[in-house]
Amino acid sequence: MVSGQSVRVKSYSPPGHVRTPYYLRGKTGIVERVLGPFPNPEQLAYGLKAEPQPLCRVRFSMAEVWGKATDNPSDTIEAEIYSHWLEELDT
Amino acid sequence: MPHDHHDHLSPSGHPYRKDDDVELTYWQTMEIAVRELLIEKGELTAAQITSQIDAMDARSPANGAQVVARYWTDPDFAEALLADGSQATRDMGYDIGPMKLIALPNTPTLHNVVVCTLCSCYPRNLLGLPPDWYKSRAYRSRTVREPRRVLSEFGVELSPDIEVRVHDSTADMRYIVIPNRPDGTEGWMQDQLAELVTRDSMIGTGLPKHS
Amino acid sequence: MTASGRRWHDMGGDASDPVLPDEHDFALWEKRVDALLVLCNVKGLFTVDGLRRVLEDMGPEAFETMSYYERWITSVNQNLIENGVYTIEELGQRMEEVKMRGNTYGDAANG
């Protein structure tokens, strides 16, 4: 994963402790920068040995996330998403 | 136990607050019991707890304001802060612990605002504890969808040609907004400038005071 | 959790009320809860992720009816029990002793 990469957030909804907001699932954005690696919170939360994961700051347009149901579709949202939640897209 | 504790100071050296005089709650009872068990088991000492509270009380938005003012006045520092926010603030002498900090500079065409939709992540090691509204359902829910409406409730009206960028603090990083330096402050010293930097301007829900 | 799999704490994008500029100074007992969670985390007695997991599992009713630090001490305790720092029996006994010391926080904390 590198900055500038186009990515889609996985759209599944497993139960349990995850740090990927629901409103971003299935949405497409651009990796702004790559951070980490950080231990996977989905294992840490249950007291398990956690595998390190790259963490990506992904930038989304409001239009992509909300369509027209937002107060300015050209505004943006950034969030940190662990790489196992991201699918790389061809651009 | 009818002894008078009103004249005493708490173990951290602060006066008791009035909550000490209202009826003991279940959760307060649990806090006392948990704390005593941790001390008895040798996991923590009373002194560690006291000094942790003192360290927390010493943190305030004044720390962040100094970081912002230095960013405005010291180009080398500005570059270092953008490259590695944690290290740059540590080098300024702030005890930010393991916090990983990203600085988000506003520009004339970009306004940053920070929220945590999943819980209440906040750069507490630099700004102190978050205000109640930051942890509220209203702020956490609405800021990612209608940031301009939320900002206007804080008295911040932005023209449509300024991009609003919402940062959802979802994982390991913490964020501080670097507001635009107010006009008319050319030649000001760092300490003077820091007086203009409000807490909310570093969250993105406010602007610095005018010069 | 709803049928979509979305969990209650994951509230980004929901409609809600205007943001009220609420603030309060924290009470001593609240600061102590905060100090316990920071120190226990540093010491490796639990993770912040474990704390969040319990807060989430407590559900929306706890979010609406309990204060912030009431929820946090509940989660701190749950994590310490899960990790074997003390037992439920020890906690129960100690809470009874604390209650016997007096009717206010000041008396109970210093009895």
Side-chain angles (χ1 to χ4, degrees):
Chain A
M1 207 65 83
V2 291
S3 68
Q5 170 72 46
S6 187
V7 291
R8 184 187 293 121
V9 182
K10 289 185 183 171
S11 58
Y12 57 38
S13 299
H17 177 79
V18 302
R19 297 298 291 179
T20 306
Y22 189 85
Y23 72 89
L24 293 175
R25 310 239 181 115
K27 305 299 182 188
T28 297
I30 304 285
V31 174
E32 187 270 341
R33 72 175 91 166
V34 182
L35 304 155
F38 292 103
N40 184 349
E42 295 160 24
Q43 294 164 314
L44 280 182
Y46 299 93
L48 303 170
K49 190 170 177 297
E51 291 153 32
Q53 290 284 346
L55 180 65
C56 299
R57 282 182 79 202
V58 183
R59 185 176 301 166
F60 304 87
S61 74
M62 288 281 178
E64 165 68 11
V65 177
W66 306 115
K68 287 182 180 157
T70 174
D71 52 22
N72 188 342
S74 61
D75 288 337
T76 50
I77 301 181
E78 285 187 8
E80 299 150 49
I81 311 285
Y82 291 91
S83 59
H84 64 283
W85 273 88
L86 297 174
E87 296 164 358
E88 297 187 24
L89 299 177
D90 298 330
T91 42
Chain B
M1 215 151 292
H3 67 255
D4 180 10
H5 60 262
H6 296 268
D7 299 332
H8 299 178
L9 294 177
S10 73
S12 66
H14 299 94
Y16 281 115
R17 291 164 186 270
K18 62 178 187 301
D19 67 295
D20 281 7
D21 293 327
V22 300
E23 202 178 340
L24 182 70
T25 69
Y26 181 79
W27 292 283
Q28 290 172 342
T29 308
M30 189 185 292
E31 179 275 313
I32 296 167
V34 168
R35 176 162 45 87
E36 291 181 357
L37 287 170
L38 283 164
I39 292 170
E40 280 172 24
K41 300 272 180 188
E43 301 288 359
L44 301 178
T45 66
Q48 278 177 311
I49 297 166
T50 302
S51 64
Q52 174 59 30
I53 291 174
D54 288 344
M56 177 165 51
D57 282 341
R59 291 184 196 124
S60 80
N63 297 3
Q66 286 291 342
V67 172
V68 171
R70 186 157 173 208
Y71 179 95
W72 287 339
T73 54
D74 178 347
D76 290 340
F77 176 77
E79 200 179 318
L81 186 71
L82 295 183
D84 185 341
S86 312
Q87 195 54 46
T89 43
R90 214 171 270 130
D91 289 346
M92 260 183 95
Y94 295 118
D95 174 21
I96 64 159
M99 185 177 72
K100 300 188 174 56
L101 187 73
I102 290 182
L104 306 167
N106 288 348
T107 73
T109 57
L110 176 69
H111 182 92
N112 294 287
V113 58
V114 182
V115 63
C116 174
T117 61
L118 296 176
C119 48
S120 51
C121 300
Y122 187 78
R124 61 209 316 269
N125 293 48
L126 195 59
L127 299 187
L129 297 175
D132 292 345
W133 57 259
Y134 185 86
K135 304 181 280 190
S136 70
R137 178 181 285 280
Y139 186 74
R140 288 172 52 187
S141 300
R142 294 176 51 222
T143 305
V144 287
R145 185 168 194 144
E146 43 182 22
R148 288 171 189 266
R149 260 180 258 186
V150 170
L151 291 180
S152 75
E153 288 161 22
F154 283 88
V156 177
E157 304 283 351
L158 296 172
S159 97
D161 53 350
I162 296 174
E163 176 186 333
V164 174
R165 185 171 294 160
V166 182
H167 299 265
D168 192 352
S169 197
T170 48
D172 292 280
M173 312 309 289
R174 299 292 174 267
Y175 298 93
I176 180 175
V177 174
I178 309 290
N180 291 320
R181 181 170 173 164
D183 293 335
T185 59
E186 294 74 16
W188 285 35
M189 306 295 286
Q190 183 180 318
D191 283 348
Q192 278 178 291
L193 287 165
E195 296 287 324
L196 302 180
V197 182
T198 62
R199 180 196 63 201
D200 288 4
S201 74
M202 296 182 279
I203 301 173
T205 53
L207 300 173
K209 295 176 212 162
H210 296 297
S211 56
Chain C
M1 192 160 73
T2 64
S4 67
R6 183 174 179 184
R7 301 184 73 209
W8 72 271
H9 70 280
D10 190 350
M11 50 182 80
D14 284 354
S16 187
D17 302 326
V19 181
L20 300 172
D22 290 339
E23 316 218 4
H24 80 288
D25 283 340
F26 294 102
L28 176 60
W29 86 272
E30 295 178 300
K31 292 183 179 189
R32 282 175 166 160
V33 172
D34 203 281
L36 293 182
L37 80 88
V38 170
L39 292 170
C40 290
N41 177 47
V42 168
K43 201 157 193 288
L45 298 181
F46 49 63
T47 63
V48 172
D49 311 80
L51 290 175
R52 289 178 181 146
R53 187 243 316 156
V54 170
L55 290 168
E56 291 164 11
D57 290 350
M58 284 165 66
E61 194 190 324
F63 183 80
E64 302 298 348
T65 60
M66 293 165 69
S67 75
Y68 188 76
Y69 284 107
E70 287 174 352
R71 284 178 272 131
W72 277 94
I73 189 60
T74 304
S75 180
V76 165
N77 173 60
Q78 177 75 26
N79 274 265
L80 290 171
I81 298 269
E82 287 178 5
N83 294 333
V85 177
Y86 50 76
T87 65
I88 291 175
E89 184 188 3
E90 287 173 309
L91 177 74
Q93 220 157 41
R94 180 56 55 97
M95 284 179 71
E96 281 307 297
E97 287 166 31
V98 169
K99 275 198 295 191
M100 297 301 286
R101 293 178 196 157
N103 295 325
T104 67
Y105 181 78
D107 283 339
N110 294 282

